Amino acid sequence: MTMLVLVTLILLIVLLAVYVVIENNRRKAREAEKRAYNERVKEINAHFKLKLAEFVEAKIVRPKYVPKLQSITNNFFVVQHHTEENLHQLERVADLFVNTVGRELQKCYVTKNIDALETQMQYFVAELPSAGIAYNKAFYHEILPALIVLLQTPDQPEGITEEESVLEDESQIQDKQDDEPEFIAPKTKAQELSNY
């Protein structure tokens, strides 16, 4: 009987030790996931901040607008849960903003019309919410992507109308045709003999 009690006691101690080890491993895994998650959030914020600094250097964003634009990434988790899906949404909207502004900046360098993008950025910043609680799921899934689309400037310079653009395209096609050698059909035997 004492042997049965002793074996049962040893089994309970072993089970308790195994349970404690498993729980410690789970806790460490959760902490590692949380650290990795927070690192990704920091990377997104740092990348966004770096791009904003580049846009300030390019003079399409005024320095006074930087804090308001940074609130896009800083306020993401004010009213939203820390989930993987939400983190992906933060990455998507941050990349969408950065890529759209980058494309528009390149377009402005070509068209030499940087003022249009600067004006669009002013309108964009004016539409951002001032209260942190307004940065909710609806804002990031619906409102912000629509605002980012409004940042896009026209592809053609404002001075050129559509008719002028069509005429310019036609003249370019004509110039290409002029550059190509004219096709001359080979002469038949009868034509060659008639020339003598």
Side-chain angles (χ1 to χ4, degrees):
M1 187 69 168
T2 58
M3 188 68 153
L4 183 63
V5 171
L6 185 61
V7 169
T8 307
L9 187 59
I10 291 172
L11 283 175
L12 286 175
I13 292 171
V14 169
L15 285 174
L16 181 63
V18 168
Y19 174 77
V20 168
V21 168
I22 290 172
E23 280 302 310
N24 281 339
N25 289 342
R26 284 183 186 163
R27 184 178 48 80
K28 288 178 184 176
R30 282 192 301 266
E31 288 174 2
E33 286 176 10
K34 190 175 181 179
R35 274 195 302 274
Y37 186 90
N38 289 336
E39 281 300 313
R40 285 178 60 195
V41 171
K42 285 179 186 176
E43 286 174 9
I44 293 168
N45 285 334
H47 181 259
F48 194 76
K49 189 175 183 178
L50 177 70
K51 288 298 184 179
L52 286 179
E54 290 176 14
F55 298 151
V56 168
E57 262 184 52
K59 299 194 185 312
I60 57 170
V61 174
R62 293 183 181 169
K64 69 180 182 178
Y65 295 145
V66 171
K68 191 128 184 195
L69 288 169
Q70 281 179 332
S71 66
I72 292 171
T73 56
N74 291 343
N75 289 337
F76 188 85
F77 292 109
V78 170
V79 293
Q80 297 187 80
H81 297 290
H82 289 264
T83 63
E84 199 66 30
E85 181 184 334
N86 285 342
L87 182 60
H88 287 302
Q89 181 63 22
L90 174 60
E91 286 175 323
R92 279 192 295 270
V93 295
D95 286 345
L96 178 63
F97 176 81
V98 167
N99 293 338
T100 301
V101 175
R103 274 193 312 274
E104 293 303 315
L105 183 59
Q106 293 301 321
K107 202 186 302 182
C108 288
Y109 286 147
V110 171
T111 62
K112 308 273 192 268
N113 189 11
I114 205 160
D115 294 335
L117 182 56
E118 184 182 0
T119 303
Q120 291 299 97
M121 287 300 292
Q122 289 175 2
Y123 292 137
F124 179 82
V125 171
E127 292 297 320
L128 291 176
S130 55
I133 196 142
Y135 289 88
N136 54 27
K137 186 174 183 172
F139 175 77
Y140 285 103
H141 285 269
E142 298 165 13
I143 299 169
L144 184 59
L147 288 175
I148 292 172
V149 168
L150 293 177
L151 284 173
Q152 296 176 353
T153 56
D155 288 339
Q156 299 177 356
E158 291 178 7
I160 298 177
T161 65
E162 190 173 325
E163 289 177 20
E164 291 171 338
S165 175
V166 169
L167 290 175
E168 186 177 306
D169 291 342
E170 288 175 0
S171 68
Q172 288 175 353
I173 291 170
Q174 184 64 31
D175 290 343
K176 281 184 180 179
Q177 289 174 348
D178 291 342
D179 292 342
E180 295 176 5
E182 186 176 330
F183 176 75
I184 300 173
K187 294 183 179 182
T188 63
K189 281 278 192 199
Q191 289 174 334
E192 287 178 3
L193 291 174
S194 67
N195 287 340
Y196 292 111

